[in-house]
Amino acid sequence: MSTLTIKQSQGFVGLAPACTLAKMTRGSRPTLHDVAARAGVSARTVSRVVNREEVVSETTVDVVEAAIEELGYRPNMMARGLINRRSGMVAVMVTSMNNPFFGEFADGVRAAAAERNLTLVLGSSDNDAASQRQLLLKLESHAVEGVIGFCARDGQDSIIELAEHGTPFVLVNDDIGVEGVVSVRVDVEDGARQAVTHLVERGHRQLGMIAGNLDSRHAGLRERGFRATCWTLGITNFIVVQAPQTVDGGRTGLRELLEIEPRITGVF
């Protein structure tokens, strides 16, 4: 998670008198200008210290950071992000919160983001193009530095629009061939081949597949890999059923497979 580290100073030499803070309202949130007044420097100098610009002397940094610590000042990250597109936040967009895979995926992104002092924002499109567009508009308005995730069904247009506005997008397991949208993909057809080979090498001859939505390109590639490898390895009595890509869908699909052929011993 993103954190702000404030260096401790031993004294307040060079700070402006406390009376310069008289205009602060009791209980109000201190501003950048309040810090500038307390430190006896310009607001621009405070901004440079907060943004870690190297043009400020070490002595000035100590004085400003002492004022920040005393006042409890915290930069408005959203306002800064809208100005310089550096919000310190990256977003993960998934198509469902019910699929355990997405939780593991998001946790991996979170760990990588934490190493780079970035905060993770998580959102779901519910695999709906209109919902995805609204989600991406909100993320863009909060100046996220980039989005990593999965495209909703027929949702390519809103991803392209986001990239055209300057927000990078890393698309997982898909490719829409647009500049600004990087693709990270898995060879799902080869993965199906490896799965079938694994089962057959362990003696399974009665195989079944629980396929995802047939209108999903990746579900189609997995099924193609499954069928082709079964035929290649001499497995001709396999069965394929369709079910949603959720835990409940897996349960329903397995029951359907076993109702059709109770002798099935290997399932992909």
Side-chain angles (χ1 to χ4, degrees):
M1 301 297 289
S2 180
T3 58
L4 176 64
T5 302
I6 303 298
K7 186 170 68 174
Q8 299 291 327
S9 296
Q10 297 300 317
F12 298 104
V13 177
L15 296 180
C19 62
T20 60
L21 304 179
K23 294 183 179 180
M24 286 183 60
T25 304
R26 181 180 297 275
S28 65
R29 180 176 178 175
T31 68
L32 182 143
H33 293 282
D34 295 326
V35 174
R38 183 72 182 94
V41 298
S42 68
R44 177 60 184 143
T45 297
V46 175
S47 177
R48 286 171 174 161
V49 172
V50 170
N51 290 301
R52 300 294 189 263
E53 297 181 19
E54 296 181 357
V55 296
V56 184
S57 69
E58 185 175 348
T59 300
T60 301
V61 170
D62 288 343
V63 171
V64 171
E65 289 191 342
I68 288 173
E69 179 70 15
E70 182 182 357
L71 298 178
Y73 169 71
R74 296 294 180 267
N76 187 329
M77 300 303 293
M78 184 178 296
R80 287 173 58 193
L82 292 173
I83 294 172
N84 58 23
R85 306 296 298 176
R86 298 289 297 177
S87 64
M89 297 187 298
V90 293
V92 165
M93 183 179 73
V94 300
T95 55
S96 171
M97 292 292 191
N98 294 323
N99 190 329
F101 164 75
F102 291 129
E104 293 188 31
F105 174 83
D107 192 55
V109 178
R110 178 206 56 76
E115 292 177 357
R116 294 158 178 81
N117 201 31
L118 295 169
T119 299
L120 183 69
V121 179
L122 177 63
S124 173
S125 67
D126 294 324
N127 206 23
D128 176 75
S131 297
Q132 175 179 289
R133 186 174 190 279
Q134 290 302 313
L135 174 60
L136 291 179
L137 287 173
K138 289 180 180 178
L139 293 174
E140 184 179 13
S141 70
H142 284 76
V144 296
E145 296 188 33
V147 181
I148 304 169
F150 303 79
C151 181
R153 187 179 297 112
D154 301 322
Q156 294 90 338
D157 289 348
S158 58
I159 292 177
I160 294 172
E161 182 180 351
L162 182 77
E164 289 177 344
H165 291 174
T167 301
F169 197 107
V170 177
L171 187 59
V172 182
N173 276 356
D174 211 339
D175 186 7
I176 57 180
V178 175
E179 186 177 353
V181 180
V182 177
S183 178
V184 178
R185 291 175 289 169
V186 174
D187 188 340
V188 294
E189 190 170 354
D190 183 64
R193 180 191 62 78
Q194 293 183 47
V196 173
T197 301
H198 172 84
L199 292 172
V200 173
E201 287 177 347
R202 280 152 183 77
H204 298 283
R205 308 294 294 180
Q206 298 279 350
L207 301 183
M209 176 182 180
I210 305 174
N213 297 323
L214 294 182
D215 59 351
S216 166
R217 184 168 64 86
H218 297 103
L221 289 173
R222 290 189 185 94
E223 184 177 348
R224 186 169 73 181
F226 175 82
R227 290 180 180 274
T229 308
C230 282
W231 285 109
T232 299
L233 298 179
I235 307 298
T236 59
N237 55 345
F238 58 84
I239 299 172
V240 178
V241 299
Q242 181 185 1
Q245 294 171 296
T246 62
V247 172
D248 288 338
R251 183 181 297 112
T252 300
L254 183 57
R255 286 174 177 168
E256 184 178 351
L257 280 177
L258 294 176
E259 287 174 1
I260 297 172
E261 178 50 83
R263 294 175 297 175
I264 285 179
T265 61
V267 178
F268 171 54

